[in-house]
Amino acid sequence: MSEQLKIKLSIANRVYPLTIAPGQEEGLRKAAKKIETMIGQFEQNYSVRDKQDVLAMCALQFASQVEQKTIDKDNVSEDVKNRLTTLDDLLQSHLSS
Protein backbone atom coordinates (compact mmCIF):
# COMPACT_ATOMS: atom_id res chain seq x y z
CA MET A 1 0.00 0.00 0.00
CA SER A 2 1.42 3.41 -0.95
CA GLU A 3 2.08 6.03 1.64
CA GLN A 4 -0.35 8.83 2.23
CA LEU A 5 0.64 12.41 1.57
CA LYS A 6 -0.33 15.32 3.82
CA ILE A 7 -1.07 18.55 1.97
CA LYS A 8 -2.78 21.84 2.70
CA LEU A 9 -5.09 23.52 0.21
CA SER A 10 -6.29 27.08 0.54
CA ILE A 11 -9.79 27.80 -0.72
CA ALA A 12 -11.69 31.02 -0.03
CA ASN A 13 -9.09 32.16 2.51
CA ARG A 14 -9.36 28.94 4.51
CA VAL A 15 -6.73 26.24 4.75
CA TYR A 16 -7.83 22.63 4.44
CA PRO A 17 -5.36 19.96 5.57
CA LEU A 18 -5.83 16.73 3.64
CA THR A 19 -4.31 13.27 3.74
CA ILE A 20 -4.34 11.84 0.23
CA ALA A 21 -2.77 9.28 -2.07
CA PRO A 22 0.19 10.87 -3.90
CA GLY A 23 -1.55 10.36 -7.24
CA GLN A 24 -4.36 12.70 -6.18
CA GLU A 25 -2.21 15.73 -5.41
CA GLU A 26 -2.02 17.24 -8.89
CA GLY A 27 -5.77 16.96 -9.48
CA LEU A 28 -6.64 18.44 -6.10
CA ARG A 29 -4.23 21.34 -6.51
CA LYS A 30 -5.60 22.09 -10.00
CA ALA A 31 -9.16 21.91 -8.69
CA ALA A 32 -8.35 24.28 -5.82
CA LYS A 33 -6.74 26.70 -8.27
CA LYS A 34 -9.82 26.59 -10.53
CA ILE A 35 -12.06 27.26 -7.55
CA GLU A 36 -9.93 30.24 -6.49
CA THR A 37 -10.02 31.62 -10.05
CA MET A 38 -13.78 31.17 -10.25
CA ILE A 39 -14.25 32.85 -6.86
CA GLY A 40 -12.32 35.86 -8.13
CA GLN A 41 -14.41 36.02 -11.29
CA PHE A 42 -17.71 35.80 -9.41
CA GLU A 43 -16.62 38.44 -6.89
CA GLN A 44 -15.50 40.77 -9.67
CA ASN A 45 -18.37 40.25 -12.12
CA TYR A 46 -21.27 40.03 -9.68
CA SER A 47 -20.06 42.10 -6.73
CA VAL A 48 -20.70 39.16 -4.42
CA ARG A 49 -18.84 39.50 -1.15
CA ASP A 50 -20.30 36.66 0.92
CA LYS A 51 -17.92 33.72 0.54
CA GLN A 52 -20.69 31.19 1.12
CA ASP A 53 -22.69 32.63 -1.79
CA VAL A 54 -19.61 32.61 -4.00
CA LEU A 55 -18.78 29.01 -3.05
CA ALA A 56 -22.38 27.97 -3.74
CA MET A 57 -22.14 29.59 -7.18
CA CYS A 58 -18.85 27.74 -7.82
CA ALA A 59 -20.41 24.44 -6.76
CA LEU A 60 -23.35 25.04 -9.09
CA GLN A 61 -21.01 25.91 -11.96
CA PHE A 62 -18.90 22.77 -11.50
CA ALA A 63 -21.93 20.52 -11.02
CA SER A 64 -23.63 21.90 -14.13
CA GLN A 65 -20.44 21.27 -16.15
CA VAL A 66 -20.38 17.65 -15.02
CA GLU A 67 -24.07 17.19 -15.81
CA GLN A 68 -23.70 18.84 -19.23
CA LYS A 69 -20.80 16.53 -20.10
CA THR A 70 -22.95 13.54 -19.14
CA ILE A 71 -25.80 14.81 -21.31
CA ASP A 72 -23.43 15.49 -24.22
CA LYS A 73 -21.88 12.03 -23.86
CA ASP A 74 -25.32 10.39 -23.84
CA ASN A 75 -26.31 12.35 -26.96
CA VAL A 76 -23.13 11.34 -28.78
CA SER A 77 -23.61 7.70 -27.72
CA GLU A 78 -27.20 7.74 -29.03
CA ASP A 79 -26.06 9.32 -32.30
CA VAL A 80 -23.30 6.72 -32.73
CA LYS A 81 -25.78 3.93 -31.94
CA ASN A 82 -28.22 5.25 -34.57
CA ARG A 83 -25.48 5.54 -37.20
CA LEU A 84 -24.22 2.02 -36.48
CA THR A 85 -27.76 0.66 -36.71
CA THR A 86 -28.24 2.40 -40.07
CA LEU A 87 -24.90 1.08 -41.32
CA ASP A 88 -25.75 -2.43 -40.11
CA ASP A 89 -29.12 -2.29 -41.88
CA LEU A 90 -27.42 -1.13 -45.07
CA LEU A 91 -24.85 -3.92 -44.86
CA GLN A 92 -27.54 -6.52 -44.18
CA SER A 93 -29.54 -5.35 -47.19
CA HIS A 94 -26.49 -5.60 -49.46
CA LEU A 95 -25.52 -9.01 -48.12
CA SER A 96 -29.06 -10.31 -48.55
CA SER A 97 -29.16 -9.28 -52.23
Side-chain angles (χ1 to χ4, degrees), residues 4-59:
Q4 297 293 314
L5 182 63
K6 293 184 181 200
I7 66 170
K8 292 180 181 180
L9 295 178
S10 178
I11 300 172
N13 300 324
R14 284 195 175 176
V15 176
Y16 296 92
L18 301 170
T19 302
I20 61 167
Q24 293 178 302
E25 183 179 13
E26 182 180 4
L28 286 168
R29 291 201 184 277
K30 284 183 176 182
K33 187 174 180 178
K34 282 184 179 183
I35 292 168
E36 283 295 319
T37 300
M38 194 176 288
I39 287 171
Q41 290 171 344
F42 280 131
E43 286 178 336
Q44 183 178 17
N45 294 335
Y46 299 107
S47 299
V48 179
R49 297 289 174 236
D50 186 335
K51 289 292 185 195
Q52 186 168 347
D53 289 342
V54 174
L55 289 170
M57 292 167 69
C58 288

Side-chain angles (χ1 to χ4, degrees), residues 1 3-4 9 13 22 31 34 36-37 46 54 64 73 77 79 81 92 97:
M1 184 170 178
E3 271 200 42
Q4 297 293 314
L9 295 178
N13 300 324
K34 282 184 179 183
E36 283 295 319
T37 300
Y46 299 107
V54 174
S64 68
K73 181 181 172 187
S77 294
D79 185 48
K81 180 182 168 188
Q92 288 300 326
S97 302

